[in-house]
Amino acid sequence: MSRAALLVLADGRFPAGGHAHSGGAEAAVKAGRITSAASLEDFCRGRLHTAGLVAGALAAAAVLGVEPRELDAAADARTPSPALRAAARRLGRQLMRAARASWPSAELDALAGEFPKGVHQPVVLGVAARAAGLSPVDAAYCAAYESVSGPATATVRLLSLDPFDATGALARLAPELDRVADAAVEAAGRVVDEGVDALPAASGPLLEVGAEWHAAWPVRLFAS
Amino acid sequence: MTVTGVRAHARIVARADGRGGTALPVLDGDGPLALRRTRASGGEARVMVVGAMSGPLGGDRFSLEARVEEGARLHVGSAAATIALPGQAKGGARYDVRLDVADDAELHWLPEQLIAAGGSDLYVTTRAELGAGARLVLREEQVLGRFGEEPGRLTSRLTVRVAGRTVLDQELSCGPGAPGGWDGPAVLAGHRSVGQLVVIRPEFAEQPPAARMLGECAALVPLAGPAVLVSAVSPDALSLRRLLDQALTLLG
C-alpha cells in the first residue's frame, strides 16, 4: 500500500462532504467570537485540542482494529450535542461512500451494512485508512487536520478573510497538530488494552452549545 | 522535611429503611470532607458536606463515595464552595467522586461551586454508575479564579454510565498550562464560570426532552441514553446558577 493514499484521504477535495460543514465556525462568527485571523487561530487551537484530539484517537483506534460499534458509542458519549451527533453520522455516511469507491474492503462493506444510518465520521475515517493500508498515526493526523482546516476555509467565506491569513493560522498550528496526533495515537494504543474509556474526552463547551444554537437557525451557509 | 498533602476519604451509603424512608448505615468522613446528616425531606435522606479544613491544596488527595441502594433516596449538598488552593506539597491535587445509584434509587448530587484559585492545580473526576431504573440529578459548577483573580489550573472529567453503558464522558481543562485555546472562542471565550447539570430518568429513554437553548451560552440537550445534559458557560457563578436552576425547573 502507498503512503500517498494519505494525501488522497486528507485532500479537501476528497468527495466526502466536508466542505458543507464549518466545524462550529459559522456559529462562532455570528456570535462575534471569531472576527479576525487571530481569533480564528485561537478557535482552531481550541478545537484541535478538544474535538480534534478525540477524533484523532477514535480514528487511530479504528485503524488498530478496535470494534467500530464501541468506538461509535464512545463518540456519542463524547458528543453531548444531538446536532453534532447527527452531523458526525451524516459525514460518516458520505465518507463511507467515497471510501468504498476508493479502497474497496470487506470491513468497510460490513460497517456500512451494520450501520445504515451512519457511524461517527472519525470512526469511518479510521476504517477507511485501514482499508487504504495507512497507519494509526496517518489517520490521527488526518482527523486532527480536518478539525482545523474545515473552520479555516469556512471562515474565509464567512468573514471574507484573506485566504493567506487563514492558511498562515493553520501553518502556525502545525507543531501543536504534531503533538495532538502523537497523543491521539498513544491513547488509541491504550484503548486496545484498556477499552474505550481510555479514549480522551476533551470537550469545548462553546462548540457544543454553539452547534445547538446554529442548528436552530432557519438560514445557514453551512450544515454545522 | 518533606511536605505531603492531606489524604481524605468520605463514604456514604443510603439504604431504604423499609418504612418509606432512607437510612444512612454508613456516613464516614472527617477533616476536609466532614459529613452531617440534615433534616430529611419525605422519603429522602439529606447529607451536607461541611469541609472543616480548606482545600484541596497542592498534593492533597480527596475521595468521596456515595452508594444509593435499591429503593433509597439521597440528597447531598455542601455547606460552602470548595476552593482549590496552591499548596506546599509537590504536584497537583486530586479529588475523585464515585457515585453508585442502584435500580429504583435516586440521588440528587448538588454541591456548591468548585473555585480554582490562582496558582492551584487540581484534577477532579466524577464518575456516576447508574442501574437501568435509577434517577439522578447531578450539578457541577466550576469558577475560574476568585473575584478578579487569574484562575488556577483545573481539569475536570465527568463520566456517567447507565446500565453499563457510558452516556456522557467529558473533560474540560483550563487555566495556566492547559492545552491551548481553552480560553478561546471554541471553549470558554473569556467566561469564568462553567457548569453542567445531568438529569437521568428512565422515562427519558422513551420521551427525551427536545434540545433547546437557554440564553446564548447554555443549552439543554438529550444525550444518547435516558439522560439530559445542560451545559453552560457564564460570566460569573451567580448567573451560572440561575441558568442551571432555570433548566431544572423546565424539566419539572
Side-chain angles (χ1 to χ4, degrees), chain A residues 11 66 90 109 111 181 197 199 203 205:
Chain A
D11 190 333
V66 176
R90 193 156 60 236
D109 293 347
L111 188 59
D197 283 354
L199 286 165
S203 65

Side-chain angles (χ1 to χ4, degrees), chain B residues 109-130:
Chain B
W109 186 262
L110 299 166
E112 294 303 306
Q113 297 86 0
L114 171 61
I115 302 173
S120 65
D121 182 359
L122 174 65
Y123 184 50
V124 49
T125 69
T126 304
R127 190 176 176 94
E129 292 266 359
L130 279 78

Side-chain angles (χ1 to χ4, degrees), chain A residues 13-88:
Chain A
R13 286 158 295 189
F14 189 69
H19 63 277
H21 295 258
S22 78
E26 186 168 25
V29 165
K30 181 132 176 201
R33 293 195 289 267
I34 300 179
T35 55
S36 61
S39 48
L40 167 65
E41 183 174 333
D42 215 17
F43 176 88
C44 289
R45 183 172 285 113
R47 191 162 193 259
L48 172 65
H49 288 288
T50 56
L53 172 64
V54 173
L58 285 165
V63 179
L64 290 170
V66 176
E67 179 56 49
R69 174 181 288 277
E70 286 182 33
L71 293 173
D72 191 59
D76 266 352
R78 286 158 179 75
T79 317
S81 155
L84 286 184
R85 291 198 296 274

Side-chain angles (χ1 to χ4, degrees), chain A residues 33-34 39 42-43 45-47 49-50 76-78 80-82 85 176 197 199 201-207 209 212-213, chain B residues 127 157 166-172 179-181 184-189 211 213 216-218 221-224 229 231 233:
Chain A
R33 293 195 289 267
I34 300 179
S39 48
D42 215 17
F43 176 88
R45 183 172 285 113
R47 191 162 193 259
H49 288 288
T50 56
D76 266 352
R78 286 158 179 75
S81 155
R85 291 198 296 274
E176 282 174 79
D197 283 354
L199 286 165
S203 65
L206 282 172
L207 285 176
V209 171
E212 288 303 313
W213 182 50
Chain B
R127 190 176 176 94
R157 185 151 183 173
T166 306
V167 298
L168 180 68
D169 200 346
Q170 293 272 274
E171 182 171 283
L172 179 65
V187 186
L188 294 181
M213 293 299 291
E216 273 179 37
C217 291
V221 293
L223 301 176
L229 174 73
S231 183
V233 298

Side-chain angles (χ1 to χ4, degrees), chain B residues 9-251:
Chain B
H9 180 65
R11 209 159 70 90
I12 308 167
V13 175
R15 184 171 295 159
D17 66 4
R19 289 168 285 135
T22 297
L24 298 172
V26 177
L27 191 65
D28 283 341
D30 54 19
L33 297 176
L35 304 174
R36 298 283 178 272
R37 179 167 195 163
T38 59
R39 185 191 291 271
S41 154
E44 179 186 72
R46 287 186 166 240
V47 172
M48 189 74 89
V49 181
V50 284
M53 293 166 70
S54 61
L57 277 59
D60 288 357
R61 297 278 179 280
F62 291 5
S63 63
L64 185 45
E65 268 178 68
R67 194 173 84 221
V68 190
E69 299 182 351
E70 198 165 326
R73 291 172 61 202
L74 176 67
H75 178 116
V76 180
S78 62
T82 300
I83 308 181
L85 293 161
Q88 289 183 296
K90 270 198 178 344
R94 193 168 166 129
Y95 195 159
D96 296 305
V97 174
R98 294 292 171 270
L99 309 172
D100 208 321
V101 191
D103 234 7
D104 193 33
E106 181 170 35
L107 173 64
H108 285 228
W109 186 262
L110 299 166
E112 294 303 306
Q113 297 86 0
L114 171 61
I115 302 173
S120 65
D121 182 359
L122 174 65
Y123 184 50
V124 49
T125 69
T126 304
R127 190 176 176 94
E129 292 266 359
L130 279 78
R135 300 166 78 84
L136 173 74
V137 176
L138 181 156
R139 181 181 67 211
E140 242 191 26
E141 296 162 311
Q142 284 114 18
V143 179
L144 308 182
R146 290 167 294 193
F147 184 77
E149 175 187 60
E150 281 302 302
R153 169 83 189 263
L154 177 64
T155 301
S156 170
R157 185 151 183 173
L158 172 62
T159 310
V160 181
R161 291 163 64 82
V162 180
R165 183 163 162 256
T166 306
V167 298
L168 180 68
D169 200 346
Q170 293 272 274
E171 182 171 283
L172 179 65
S173 223
C174 38
W182 66 268
D183 205 18
V187 186
L188 294 181
H191 294 86
R192 283 294 170 263
S193 289
V194 54
Q196 308 202 82
L197 178 78
V198 181
V199 180
I200 299 191
R201 296 177 187 165
E203 57 267 31
F204 287 165
E206 298 300 320
Q207 287 178 311
R212 60 176 292 173
M213 293 299 291
L214 304 164
E216 273 179 37
C217 291
L220 181 157
V221 293
L223 301 176
V228 161
L229 174 73
V230 180
S231 183
V233 298
S234 204
D236 58 65
L238 192 64
S239 54
L240 175 68
R241 176 65 61 86
R242 271 199 215 108
L243 275 168
L244 298 183
D245 283 349
Q246 182 199 346
L248 203 50
T249 307
L250 273 173
L251 289 167

